[in-house]
Amino acid sequence: MFFQNLARDNEIGANSYLLDTGDCRIVLDSGMHPKEEGQEAIPCLNEVPYNSVDAIFLTHSHLDHAGTIPVLMRDQPEAPVYMTAATAGLASALLHNSVNVMQIKRTELGITDYPLYGHRELDRLVGRWKHLEVEQPHDLTLQTSATLYDAGHILGSAGVMIESQGKRIFYTGDIQFEDQTLITGAKFPEDNIDTLIIETTRGASPRCESYTRESEEDKLCEAILDTLDRGGSALIPVFAMGKTQEVLTMLYKFKLDGRIPEQTPIYIGGLSTKMTVVFDEFASTTARKIPDFKILEDMEVQTGSKGKKTPISYRPGAIFALSSGMMTEKTISNNFAQFFINNPKNSLLFVGYADPESPAGKIRQTRRGDIVRLNPENDPVVLDCPVEVFDFSGHATRDSILDYIIRVNPKQVFLVHGDKPASEWFQQQIAARLPQTECIIPKPKKQYTL
């Protein structure tokens, strides 16, 4: 049996991995790198010979895990693709949106490789997607079976247990062990795992010991109330999938408790609306903190339309939860901020990670009163409103992941999905606490024996 990292580097990018049990060849995820373009955004899929794969697993619907699934499927025409039904719903919406983005980049940036796949091809490939229930074993071959386990990261996310020839290999995908506001935490197996393939996203980011999600929600609520009291509005940049629905659930709770005025209008964009429809579709069939809660039915939310050039207009006394979370150029949150952040009555409230080189990252590094350029096509704007950052990460803390590794006590660990400092922190901790465990940061393309 062997394992191969198909990512181009040891980082959080185009995540994809090959697992060969001797009886079954399996590809785990096939993402698109969020910072690269064209062929450089694709994993090293050329390492996998044409039509040589028996099964493909998609652990969840984020772009860095799902973005090149259609490319992989084209090269592996006989391989079924397994995922939860909720992941299928979200991934379909994500990939169709990805086609639109790539078509725009082809026109505006001259990237001739785009689009990597089209709408019609995507509709056809979705026919090969197979939906699996969590904790229900499924036979892939006579000797190899797979079981999905709830990963708690996003709606539908799952880790994959592969059992073959008396061995158990578990790939976590992205994990959140703690309950989020809407999504409940991971329910992972711990017994008799020989090889563990695990994410290390937050390895270089310790969290304050006094942190609780409840107290962080309280801080967000207070920031919104302060903004409304001074006659301004709150802009909350969010990712359309996952973070939007978590924030809306928080706002629902705040209104239900009487902490935010019931009449406070809430606005979301067109892509966020599309993703929220999928979240609501699975309200009764997936584990969540508020059973049967349907955001678009149970809340008063003003939704934008992607077909309009200016889908949402500013008004005071409102909450704008707009994508993208990193305020990428030409997204709603970026365009909106152009005439929003120079008003001292308003607030800009970040609820997730922002790459330092992204517009959101640059705003976080800008002092109030200084200018910031949100888009190279527009004039710089003065940052004159309060900016606050909150921790509502969908990724588990490094300590909770390390605790899980120690409880599992595997023979072998592969540390993936993390920048070098993050993975190295885990490697050092495991060497000290589990000296008998072989701990590997897998180099791209190299094959490792299990």
Side-chain angles (χ1 to χ4, degrees), residues 85 89 155 275-286 288 294:
L155 180 73
M275 296 300 183
T276 305
V277 168
V278 180
F279 269 72
D280 287 351
E281 180 184 346
F282 292 92
S284 302
T285 56
T286 53
R288 52 182 64 198
K294 294 188 176 181

Side-chain angles (χ1 to χ4, degrees), residues 110-154:
I111 303 174
T112 56
D113 288 333
Y114 284 163
L116 299 173
Y117 43 87
H119 292 295
R120 290 184 180 178
E121 181 184 19
L122 185 55
D123 286 336
R124 186 175 70 253
L125 292 174
V126 166
R128 282 168 48 199
W129 291 5
K130 309 294 182 184
H131 303 168
L132 297 182
E133 298 289 336
V134 294
E135 300 186 26
Q136 297 294 318
H138 178 79
D139 289 334
L140 302 176
T141 64
L142 290 176
Q143 298 184 57
T144 302
S145 67
T147 308
L148 301 184
Y149 290 88
D150 194 342
H153 173 63
I154 190 178

